[in-house]
Amino acid sequence: MFNKRVKIKELLTWEPAQQEVTVMGWVRTFRNNQFIALNDGSTNTNLQVVVELGKYEDDFLKRITTSSSLKVTGTVIASQGKGQKLEIKAATLEILGDSDPEKYPLQPKKHSLEFLREKAHLRFRTNTFGSVFRVRHSLAFAIHKFFHEKGFLYMHTPIITASDAEGAGEMFRVTTLPFDNPPRNEDGSINFKEDFFGRTTNLTVSGQLEGELAATAFGEIYTFGPTFRAENSNTTRHLAEFWMIEPEMAFCDLEDNMNLAEEFIKYIIRFAMEHNREDLEFLAARLAEEEKQLPADKRSDMGLIEKLEFVLNNNFERITYTEAIDILLQSPAYKKKKFQYEVKWGVDMQSEHERYLVEKHFKKPVIVTNYPKEFKAFYMRMNEDGKTVAAMDILAPGIGEIVGGSQREERMEVLEARMKEMNIPAEELWWYLDTRRFGTVPHAGFGLGFERMVLFVTGMSNIRDVIAFPRAPKTAEF
Amino acid sequence: MFNKRVKIKELLTWEPAQQEVTVMGWVRTFRNNQFIALNDGSTNTNLQVVVELGKYEDDFLKRITTSSSLKVTGTVIASQGKGQKLEIKAATLEILGDSDPEKYPLQPKKHSLEFLREKAHLRFRTNTFGSVFRVRHSLAFAIHKFFHEKGFLYMHTPIITASDAEGAGEMFRVTTLPFDNPPRNEDGSINFKEDFFGRTTNLTVSGQLEGELAATAFGEIYTFGPTFRAENSNTTRHLAEFWMIEPEMAFCDLEDNMNLAEEFIKYIIRFAMEHNREDLEFLAARLAEEEKQLPADKRSDMGLIEKLEFVLNNNFERITYTEAIDILLQSPAYKKKKFQYEVKWGVDMQSEHERYLVEKHFKKPVIVTNYPKEFKAFYMRMNEDGKTVAAMDILAPGIGEIVGGSQREERMEVLEARMKEMNIPAEELWWYLDTRRFGTVPHAGFGLGFERMVLFVTGMSNIRDVIAFPRAPKTAEF
C-alpha cells in the first residue's frame, strides 16, 4: 500500500502536536535550501516543509525544483513563520519525480491566461486553475445534491441523436462512413443506410425533448451532460462542447419554473460559498487585480464575493419582455442613442440591451418572460395573446443569458399547428408528440449552461478558462 | 403557480387524518368506476383514489383510462382495502390529458422487454422501468457522493478528441465536412485542416489520459461521462454509447486501487439498498419470475437482494492472472473439456473462463491482477518480472468485467520504450508524457462501466434496458 498520506487541506486544520505524518505533493517553491512550499492540489495553501540544514547533499537539494514531486514524512510542529499555523519538520524526504527547471514550462511567476491555455495539461498546477476547478467541482456536486434532495431523477439523454428537428443550432455529424468513396444510392446521393446507425446522426444540442419523455413518467427529472454546437464562434462566451443541466418538471407552469430556477441558482452558489470560501477569496483577489488594469468606468461595482452575496440575498427581478422593451425605450442610453441595435417590440434583445437591464437598470439577475413567439422554439407554450410564448430567460450580470427555459406546449393541436408553421417535421418527432397524445400534462423546464455558471461564480472572463480542455473552432488539443 | 401537489411516495408515509391534498399523476387502472390507481413516477406503489359513485357523468368517467393524467384534490383517509394504509377520497377530479385506449400502446398487461424497447419513450411508465431508472439515479448520485466525500474532484474530460492514440476500440468520426465533394489536398487525400477543429476528431473512448493530467495536479479526481465504441457488437452487454466512471489517483499503487474500487462498489450498492429497497424488491420478484422460464440449472443460486447482500458482506477475492490460469487448469470443467477456448498462460481469458471463476469457483466478485503485458494497454505499469503489468479487472457474477484498471507506468523511460514497442505515437501524446517529465508520481485508476453496474444491481439481462435510449448498430431512435 503506497498511499497513507494526509491531504494538506486536512492537515492544515490540525493542532500541531508533534504528530508523525506522511505528505506527498508537488513543490511550488524551495527557499534557502530549507523551506519547501508543497502543494497536493487539495487547497491553494501550500504546506511548509522544513528541511534540516546540512542533512542532505547539494546534489539532492538541487533536485527539489518547481513541480518536482516529493514524499515527506516528518512531524507536525507549530510554525515559527508568519501566515501559517503549522509546518512539517522533515524526517525523511524522497523525490518521487524530478522536474528539470530548464524545461518545465511554468515558472513560479505570473503567466498570462492565454499562455496557460496552451499548457492546459499543466495549468491545473497553478493557484488560479486550482481554485477554478475546485469551485467547478463544488458547483457540479451541488447540482446533483439539489435535485436529488428534491426527488428529481438524473437522466442520461442520448449524446448521439438522429433527431435534427429542434433547430437549436449547427450540428456535428457522427459517422463511420469513409470520406473517400462513401457508399452511394443509385441517384448518387450518400447512402446513410450504410452508416453505423443506419441513418444520419449528430451530436446532441439539447437533451430536453428526451427529458420531456422522462418527466411525463417520473414527474421531475434533470439531465447533466455534454451538448454541442458546430458554430464558428470564436468568442469568450462560446464553446463547441459544453455541459448543460436541463431539469424538466411535469405539473409545472412558468411561475413554478422560475421559482425552481432561482432557488437552484442560489443553492449552488451558496454551496460553493460554504465549501470553497478560500478559493473564492483567491479568485476575488485575482479579479480585483485584473480589473486594476481597466479604466475606472469598466471595473465592477462589486467584488466577486460581494456580488455572489448580493445574488444570494436578493430576489431576481421578474419582468416581461414587453416591460423590458419599455424600460429600454425609456432609458437614458436609448435617448442618447447609445445602443447600436434597434429597440422595438418584436425584435430580439441584443447583448447590449440585456447588459443595460441587468448591470445598469436593475443591478441584479433578471428573469425576462413572455417573449414574442417569433424568436423562440416551437415547443414553448403559446400565451393567451397569441403573440407571446411562456418563455423565461435569466440574465446575469457580466454573463448575459445563463438560463433559458419555458413552459412547454402541452396542447396537441396548438403544438402541431406551431410545428407546421415553423416547418418542424412532425413525423420525425412522433415519439415527442406521443407525450401530448397520451396523458399530456402542463410541464416546464429550463437549461443552464454549466460553464457560464462557473464563469459567473469564479469571476473568470473567458469560458475557455473554466473547462479543462476547451473545444472551439480549430481547437481540439489534448 | 400550478404545482402544489404532494408526491405519492411522500404521501404514502403519512398517517391518514383527513388532510386535504392535491395529487397529480397518470392513471394505471380504473376499477368499477370507483377505484383509480394513480402513479406519479415517484414510486411503483400506486395511490388509490376513490371516486364517489354517481357523482360524475359516464362520459367523464370513460375518459379515465390507462395513462390519462389527473389532478385530484381530496382528503387522506385510512384505506378499507388490503395492501394499503391510506387512500384519497376525491373531492375534485380534473382530467389534464386524455389517453385514447384504442391508441395507447401499453395496456395494463405484461409486455415483453423487446416490445417495450420499441416504445422506449413510454416504457418509463411501467413498473419495471420505473424501478430500473430510480435505481439508476441512486447509483449515479451515490457515485458523486462517494467521491465528493473523499475529496476527489469531478472532471469533465473532452468528448470530442483529436487523440486516437489509445487504441481502446473503433471510434466514431466527428466532422462538419460534407461527404459530397469534401475539400482535398493536392495529392487527393481529404483536407481535414478544413474540418471544424482543423484536424480529424473522434468521440472519446475514455477520459483516462486527460484524467491523469488532472490527477497529477489535484491528487484525486474522477470522471463520469459518456464514452463511445463504433463496434458492430449486437450483444446484450455492449452499447455504442455508454457512461463510464474513471477515478484516477496520484500517490496510489495497485493495492490502493483495488481497495478503492471494492469500497466504491460496495458503497454505491449499499446506497441503492438503503434508498431503493422497494424498487429492488420489485426487480428481485421480476427476476425470479423470469427465471422460472429457465431450466433449473440455468437459474441463479441467489435472489437479487440476496446477491447484493452477499457482495456487501464478503471481501472480493483477489488473485493474480497466473493463479487464475492455474485454477482453470485444475478445474473439473477443464478436465472434462467443457471450455470452448484454450486455457494457457499468456492467452487472454474468455467470458466462459471468467464466469467459471466468478460463478462456479469463488461464487463472488473476483479481482484478477497482473495480466501478461501482451493484451493490456501501453500505460499499465510493468511489473518486476518484465512479463506482466499491474492491471486489475473486477469480474462480477452474471456480468463479467465490470471494472478495468491499473497502476499507471510513471517511469518515463519504461513508458517510452513500451509505446515504441506498441507503435503508440509519442509525439501525439506529448502532453501525456509531460506528466512523467515533470514531477511524475506513482498513480493508478480504473474505469467502471456504469450500465454494467446498473445491470448488476437491477438484475436486468439486456444492457439496452438500463439506459434510457440505447445506441447500438442500426439503433438511434428517439
Side-chain angles (χ1 to χ4, degrees), chain A residues 78-146:
Chain A
S79 183
Q80 306 305 311
K82 269 190 287 189
Q84 59 218 3
K85 184 173 66 175
L86 56 81
E87 59 193 28
I88 301 292
K89 192 178 154 193
T92 67
L93 202 58
E94 184 186 340
I95 294 173
L96 297 170
D98 291 286
S99 176
D100 182 344
E102 300 293 313
K103 292 182 182 155
Y104 185 63
L106 308 188
Q107 298 308 316
K109 62 156 193 164
K110 207 170 149 55
H111 292 289
S112 75
L113 295 173
E114 291 73 19
F115 175 82
L116 291 171
R117 237 167 268 150
E118 307 285 312
K119 313 285 175 208
H121 64 309
L122 295 174
R123 65 179 176 173
F124 302 128
R125 299 185 187 184
T126 66
N127 282 338
T128 297
F129 289 93
S131 289
V132 164
F133 286 96
R134 281 188 297 270
V135 170
R136 185 180 165 113
H137 163 81
S138 283
L139 292 171
F141 184 71
I143 287 163
H144 288 295
K145 190 162 184 282
F146 175 82

Side-chain angles (χ1 to χ4, degrees), chain B residues 272-289:
Chain B
M273 291 281 271
E274 283 166 8
H275 291 78
N276 297 77
R277 188 77 195 191
E278 183 190 282
D279 288 318
L280 290 171
E281 277 169 5
F282 176 85
L283 290 165
R286 190 207 70 83
L287 181 62
E289 193 61 33

Side-chain angles (χ1 to χ4, degrees), chain A residues 344-448:
Chain A
K344 194 173 95 175
W345 199 99
V347 175
D348 204 359
M349 283 190 282
Q350 297 296 317
S351 175
E352 58 176 352
H353 309 134
E354 296 180 345
R355 294 190 75 136
Y356 177 84
L357 287 172
V358 169
E359 291 162 26
K360 303 284 178 206
H361 189 85
F362 290 113
K363 295 178 190 289
K364 57 174 169 170
V366 176
I367 312 183
V368 183
T369 59
N370 300 320
Y371 285 81
K373 64 179 181 181
E374 280 72 19
F375 44 85
K376 288 291 180 186
F378 75 91
Y379 48 71
M380 298 194 179
R381 192 176 197 277
M382 187 69 67
N383 287 326
E384 299 280 300
D385 60 16
K387 294 188 297 182
T388 61
V389 291
M392 64 138 188
D393 284 359
I394 303 186
L395 312 175
I399 305 290
E401 185 190 323
I402 199 165
V403 159
S406 73
Q407 185 169 345
R408 317 307 188 187
E409 183 56 77
E410 88 282 12
R411 296 161 297 185
M412 186 65 163
E413 62 293 348
V414 184
L415 181 60
E416 282 185 317
R418 191 82 188 109
M419 287 171 77
K420 205 166 170 186
E421 225 170 75
M422 294 177 71
N423 293 313
I424 308 284
E427 59 285 1
E428 271 186 40
L429 291 179
W430 62 273
W431 43 270
Y432 183 70
L433 290 169
D434 268 6
T435 55
R436 276 61 173 179
R437 208 169 266 131
F438 305 117
T440 194
V441 294
H443 64 292
F446 63 84
L448 172 81

Side-chain angles (χ1 to χ4, degrees), chain A residues 41-76:
Chain A
S42 61
T43 163
N44 272 350
T45 309
N46 300 319
L47 177 69
Q48 176 152 293
V49 175
V50 183
V51 181
E52 200 179 323
L53 277 173
K55 185 170 174 187
Y56 298 94
E57 301 288 331
D58 268 8
D59 281 354
F60 180 83
L61 295 175
K62 271 187 192 148
R63 293 171 55 204
I64 302 176
T65 57
T66 297
S67 242
S68 62
S69 48
L70 298 185
K71 177 175 181 176
V72 181
T73 58
T75 48
V76 185

